[in-house]
């Protein structure tokens, strides 16, 4: 591995141990064996390095989930989506620090146009990927899934005891689809 890859690996390690806000450049330098100037040379700032590491770690977690699902051509799209929800929820628990870093980076992006643009581009890619993998190529389905994932993530980070289970999501989506097909308004 080169210095850039060493820095990314060290940043991922630090994110998993300390989270986004508590990871310092000194932590990354110590974990990577690189020097401080290497961060600026390869990434420009600590935030850009951490954001890249967080995006890669999150993408790897979601790819792992998608790769473990039943085949898309198995004919049971409902079972595939339910399995996705359950494995995603399991990931929120098992990889909690990475997912928390994801939310922390979004808060940091509110103050950084560069970070905001990078995260926005990653979200666009995620919507397209979700559309392709779970939505039959429908961009609207990818957008709804991305929105649900973000809200579900926040609920699991804040109050996992009361966050909806995979079955709740599936039942709620079916209920919305049924009401929409029947021309009814959802209950409030």
């Amino acid at each position: 591995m080169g210095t850039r890859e060493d820095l990314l690996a060290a940043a991922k390690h630090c994110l998993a141990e300390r989270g986004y806000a508590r990871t310092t450049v000194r932590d990354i330098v110590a974990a990577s064996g690189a020097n401080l100037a290497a961060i600026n040379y390869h990434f420009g700032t600590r935030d850009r390095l951490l954001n890249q590491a967080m995006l890669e770690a999150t993408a790897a977690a979601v790819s792992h989930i998608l790769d473990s699902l039943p085949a898309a051509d198995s004919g049971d799209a409902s079972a595939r989506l339910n399995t996705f929800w359950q494995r995603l929820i399991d990931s929120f628990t098992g990889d909690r620090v990475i997912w928390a870093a994801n939310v922390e980076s979004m808060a940091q992006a509110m103050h950084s146009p560069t970070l905001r643009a990078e995260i926005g581009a990653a979200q666009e890619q995620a919507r397209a990927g979700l559309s392709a993998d779970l939505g039959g190529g429908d961009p609207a389905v990818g957008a709804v899934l991305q929105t649900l994932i973000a809200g579900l993530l926040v609920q699991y980070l804040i109050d996992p005891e009361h966050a909806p289970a995979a079955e709740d999501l599936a039942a709620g989506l079916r209920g919305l689809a049924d009401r929409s097909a029947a021309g009814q308004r959802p209950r409030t």
Side-chain angles (χ1 to χ4, degrees), residues 2 18 21 41 52 54 64 92 96 98-99 103 105 108 113 116 125-126 136 170 172 175-176 180-181 183 187:
R18 303 171 142 305
Y41 176 78
Q52 182 65 38
M54 185 273 309
H64 177 72
F92 289 165
R96 183 176 173 81
I98 291 299
W99 290 107
V103 172
S105 72
Q108 294 295 320
R116 194 167 41 250
Q125 286 178 325
L176 284 172
S180 178
R187 284 186 261 165

Side-chain angles (χ1 to χ4, degrees), residues 81-142:
L81 186 58
N82 290 346
T83 302
F84 171 77
W85 288 125
Q86 187 57 58
R87 291 188 180 157
L88 183 66
I89 289 168
D90 293 344
S91 178
F92 289 165
T93 303
D95 298 322
R96 183 176 173 81
V97 179
I98 291 299
W99 290 107
N102 190 297
V103 172
E104 287 180 69
S105 72
M106 288 181 208
Q108 294 295 320
M110 293 174 56
H111 308 287
S112 167
T114 302
L115 233 51
R116 194 167 41 250
E118 290 172 2
I119 291 174
Q123 287 177 335
E124 187 175 331
Q125 286 178 325
R127 284 189 297 274
L130 289 165
S131 171
D133 288 325
L134 296 169
D138 184 345
V141 173

Side-chain angles (χ1 to χ4, degrees), residues 2 50 52 56 82 89 94 120 150 157 160-161 169 185 188:
L50 287 179
Q52 182 65 38
E56 287 183 13
N82 290 346
I89 289 168
L157 290 175
E161 299 290 321
L169 292 170
R185 293 178 158 228
T188 56

Side-chain angles (χ1 to χ4, degrees), residues 9-21:
K12 289 174 190 175
H13 175 77
C14 290
L15 282 171
E17 278 192 347
R18 303 171 142 305
Y20 191 97

